[in-house]
Amino acid sequence: MHLGTAATVDVVIVIVYMLVILGIGTYFGKYVKTAKDFFLAGRMLPWWIIGFSIIGTNIGSYDYMGAAGNAYRVGITQANYEWIGAIPAMIISALIFIPFYWRAGVYTVPEFLGRRYNAAVRLIMALIWGVVLICFLGIFLYAAGLLLNSFLGWNVMWGIIIVAVIMGIYTVAGGLTAVVYTDLIQFCVMMIGSISIMVAGFIKVGGVSGLMAKLGEYNPQHLKLFLPLDNPDWPWLGMIFGLALVLSPAWWCCHQSIIQRTLGARSEWDAKAGMMLATFPKTLFAFFILLPGFFILLLSLPQGLANPDQALPEAIKALLPVGLTGLMFAAIIAAIQSTVDSTLNSLSTIWTRDIYQRFIVRKAADRHYLAFGRWLTVIFLVGGILFAPMTKMFPGIYLAMQYILSVFQGPTFAIMLLGILFRRVNQWGGLFGLVIGVLSAMIMLALDVGFLYTAWWSFVIAVVVNLLVSFLTKPDPIEKLTNLVYGLTARPMKGEANV
Amino acid sequence: MSEWLHSIPLYWAEVIGVLLFLAVIVFAWLMPREFVFGDALDQAGWRDLRIWATLICLIQIGLYLIFN
């Protein structure tokens, strides 16, 4: 896919897709009457839409492009990010964390931490997520602009503006409802596009057996899920302890964009089942995003690709006919949009609920917060558009974001886990565990420990500090902990559990 | 310590991975039934999320055994 080479029919498919998304997303605006409707879809979401929306939010363009490139480079070990680095954590999230969030009736993860510990913990977490999500917004929008540039030949900035305006209109109008229903359509488009390239690829390489045989012949390591400890990027120990036990649970149990759609569930069971349902497409998508990398690896032998990150565009060019090419690009744009609209909605929710409503204007009418949330969405979108082109000045910015995530993911997960499981853990333990955990992670990163190991050790330090400080200080009163800690919950009445 | 770690055969990674999924299955079945169903409309078998968890973990174990 090079500048302006897309066939007319492919361009039409992409444009039709965008218009359909705009129309459907905007339609849901008529259901938004209160702040709860805007931020939590009125708590009316059924489990199946939550499940597909979670996957739409989770799979972004970096999964498509990056995973195909890594599959080309190192093989199926990349699938660990979708399998052991996701599935156990998603199940734990569904069975342990989500019931507590839902019963507490909170809008955000920092709000839950604020109730469980104290306002300082809430503020720190809200500021961390608020800033990190702004950066992510810019990076995602820039990726969208680059994609439209490579496919349609549009100017990058115009591409960013068009994608942002389309998403902005339906996110401002329909809030979380519009986001999750468009996520569903985007999920379907992603499925169709991915299946197209998978079928075309298997035909070229001789089916599953042909692919396995040729890959095994090229490099048996490409079919190994775990790589030796001397591998600099994917050592198996780091994969299990850093990724599966810390980074992944932190992502699936504490990430606002992921958790927010479960908070909008119509019942506690729907919230849990939504997350559980998402484990099935999550497993499947590993194949969708990795296989193009394998296909182009085999098709480009013996000379190979100069840049493995071009694995997906090259695979599309080599495998898909006109029409299906447009569909595949619509799928990648869908992946970007479904991630960006969720990020935008979560940003607006965190800054409205955890900062504006908690610390600035505490007792305004509901309509005030609804209007503020909408304006904030517009402001963040404009900020994202302006920030997006700057990301090109920092070529390693995406990798840097992974490092930034590893600074606070371990401590966040540590205080959340202890806070939900143990009533003896108190507000000071949570605060010191979070702060010292984050500081220790920063020191480890400065010492070049590697982000997988940094995540693990900062988690351990936060656990130890939290327990130590808690046992040295007075316990929190039991009435403060009701519905927030295991063993102190009341069974929810159907549809009435929320505060 | 590092030398000892490097001497661990690679197949232990797979063993630990499979054990992790088995642990998740055991954990799911240790959850009280009423906590799993919560406020579900009914307690039909298909709503039992422990069965969902078991199914997906078995699929994952299969994948980790294939790509070893």
Side-chain angles (χ1 to χ4, degrees):
Chain A
M1 289 305 104
H2 303 292
L3 210 64
T5 57
T8 309
V9 64
D10 291 327
V11 177
V12 169
I13 287 172
V14 172
I15 291 173
V16 167
Y17 156 76
M18 286 194 187
L19 291 176
V20 168
I21 285 292
L22 178 63
I24 292 175
T26 311
Y27 167 80
F28 287 101
K30 69 179 187 177
Y31 295 109
V32 177
K33 303 278 188 271
T34 65
K36 188 164 141 183
D37 294 337
F38 185 74
F39 295 122
L40 293 182
R43 288 197 205 266
M44 294 296 287
L45 298 175
W47 60 279
W48 53 273
I49 197 133
I50 293 170
F52 294 122
S53 174
I54 285 173
I55 292 302
T57 300
N58 177 243
I59 306 283
S61 64
Y62 49 91
D63 288 286
Y64 271 104
M65 307 291 280
N70 284 334
Y72 179 98
R73 251 190 304 259
V74 292
I76 200 163
T77 190
Q78 171 71 24
N80 280 310
Y81 284 91
E82 315 300 320
W83 295 345
I84 202 168
I87 305 299
M90 292 168 82
I91 295 171
I92 299 296
S93 178
L95 294 179
I96 295 186
F97 290 84
I98 288 172
F100 285 97
Y101 298 151
W102 197 88
R103 287 178 190 199
V106 295
Y107 282 50
T108 68
V109 174
E111 187 179 351
F112 182 88
L113 283 169
R115 282 202 200 169
R116 176 60 186 85
Y117 292 109
N118 59 31
V121 173
R122 180 178 183 178
L123 181 63
I124 292 170
M125 285 311 304
L127 288 174
I128 289 175
W129 273 117
V131 173
V132 167
L133 289 178
I134 288 173
C135 295
F136 272 149
L137 189 66
I139 293 170
F140 295 151
L141 282 174
Y142 187 64
L146 281 182
L147 194 75
L148 288 171
N149 172 266
S150 70
F151 180 53
L152 302 177
W154 292 355
N155 174 283
V156 174
M157 199 59 201
W158 276 112
I160 291 170
I161 292 171
I162 288 168
V163 169
V165 167
I166 289 172
M167 277 179 328
I169 289 172
Y170 72 72
T171 308
V172 168
L176 185 64
T177 312
V179 169
V180 295
Y181 278 92
T182 52
D183 279 354
L184 176 66
I185 297 159
Q186 284 151 349
F187 173 85
C188 295
V189 174
M190 284 155 66
M191 283 284 285
I192 296 168
S194 302
I195 289 171
S196 309
I197 197 164
M198 198 169 83
V199 171
F202 275 129
I203 291 170
K204 280 259 184 177
V205 301
V208 178
S209 55
L211 177 82
M212 298 282 273
K214 286 173 186 166
L215 268 183
E217 198 178 300
Y218 165 73
N219 181 358
Q221 199 92 306
H222 261 64
L223 293 173
K224 302 273 187 209
L225 273 164
F226 288 116
L227 299 181
L229 282 181
D230 53 11
N231 186 291
D233 299 314
W234 287 280
W236 68 266
L237 206 59
M239 278 289 178
I240 291 175
F241 284 92
L243 179 67
L245 297 185
V246 178
L247 279 177
S248 161
W251 179 272
W252 290 101
C253 303
C254 309
H255 192 301
Q256 177 64 26
S257 298
I258 298 290
I259 293 298
Q260 193 165 341
R261 49 267 302 116
T262 67
L263 301 177
R266 64 187 175 189
S267 74
E268 182 191 315
W269 184 86
D270 283 84
K272 292 186 286 193
M275 179 61 85
M276 202 66 94
L277 172 70
T279 60
F280 291 92
K282 181 70 177 163
T283 300
L284 195 61
F285 257 93
F287 293 107
F288 291 161
I289 60 181
L290 263 65
L291 280 171
F294 290 149
F295 293 143
I296 201 65
L297 170 67
L298 297 179
L299 294 175
S300 66
L301 289 174
Q303 72 273 23
L305 296 180
N307 178 9
D309 286 332
Q310 286 300 307
L312 182 64
E314 290 294 334
I316 293 172
K317 197 163 68 171
L319 295 170
L320 292 181
V322 169
L324 287 180
T325 302
L327 202 59
M328 188 63 207
F329 266 90
I332 301 170
I333 292 168
I336 295 176
Q337 283 185 320
S338 58
T339 306
V340 180
D341 59 13
S342 304
T343 306
L344 197 57
N345 187 248
S346 295
L347 255 176
S348 164
T349 311
I350 284 181
W351 281 88
T352 304
R353 286 286 295 187
D354 295 314
I355 296 173
Y356 184 72
Q357 191 170 351
R358 175 67 181 80
F359 295 102
I360 301 171
V361 178
R362 297 190 67 153
K363 298 272 181 218
D366 183 76
R367 277 198 310 197
H368 175 82
Y369 296 117
L370 171 62
F372 185 79
R374 281 183 156 147
W375 275 111
L376 216 48
T377 307
V378 175
I379 291 166
F380 281 128
L381 199 62
V382 173
I385 292 171
L386 296 175
F387 176 69
M390 284 187 235
T391 61
K392 75 176 171 196
M393 289 191 277
F394 310 100
I397 195 164
Y398 185 72
L399 190 62
M401 290 308 298
Q402 295 301 314
Y403 275 84
I404 291 169
L405 279 176
S406 74
V407 166
F408 69 92
Q409 295 262 70
T412 303
F413 180 56
I415 65 166
M416 186 64 89
L417 185 68
L418 293 180
I420 280 179
L421 292 183
F422 304 112
R423 66 180 77 171
R424 185 60 185 85
V425 163
N426 68 14
Q427 56 173 322
W428 303 116
L431 181 60
F432 280 93
L434 177 64
V435 172
I436 294 176
V438 169
L439 289 175
S440 69
M442 290 164 87
I443 292 169
M444 279 186 270
L445 278 184
L447 294 174
D448 212 13
V449 173
F451 72 92
L452 289 175
Y453 292 125
T454 296
W456 166 253
W457 287 115
S458 62
F459 167 80
V460 172
I461 289 168
V463 166
V464 171
V465 171
N466 195 342
L467 290 174
L468 212 61
V469 174
S470 293
F471 281 107
L472 291 174
T473 48
K474 269 175 46 180
D476 291 328
I478 290 291
E479 54 273 20
K480 179 194 165 191
L481 306 179
T482 305
N483 271 343
L484 303 175
V485 183
Y486 193 76
L488 294 175
T489 54
R491 190 176 170 191
M493 302 295 287
K494 286 183 178 62
E496 296 182 341
N498 296 306
V499 180
Chain B
M1 176 74 169
S2 169
E3 220 169 84
W4 173 78
L5 280 174
H6 279 81
S7 69
I8 300 173
L10 193 53
Y11 68 78
W12 274 101
E14 190 196 352
V15 172
I16 295 171
V18 169
L19 284 176
L20 179 61
F21 284 109
L22 288 174
V24 172
I25 294 175
V26 171
F27 162 78
W29 286 98
L30 287 175
M31 297 289 290
R33 185 182 165 84
E34 62 273 19
F35 192 83
V36 173
F37 281 96
D39 56 356
L41 289 174
D42 56 56
Q43 299 215 350
W46 72 271
R47 287 188 190 272
D48 191 339
L49 299 176
R50 293 171 299 185
I51 296 174
W52 298 28
T54 306
L55 189 60
I56 192 67
C57 283
L58 290 177
I59 293 171
Q60 289 287 324
I61 289 171
L63 289 167
Y64 274 81
L65 291 176
I66 291 170
F67 298 107
N68 66 5

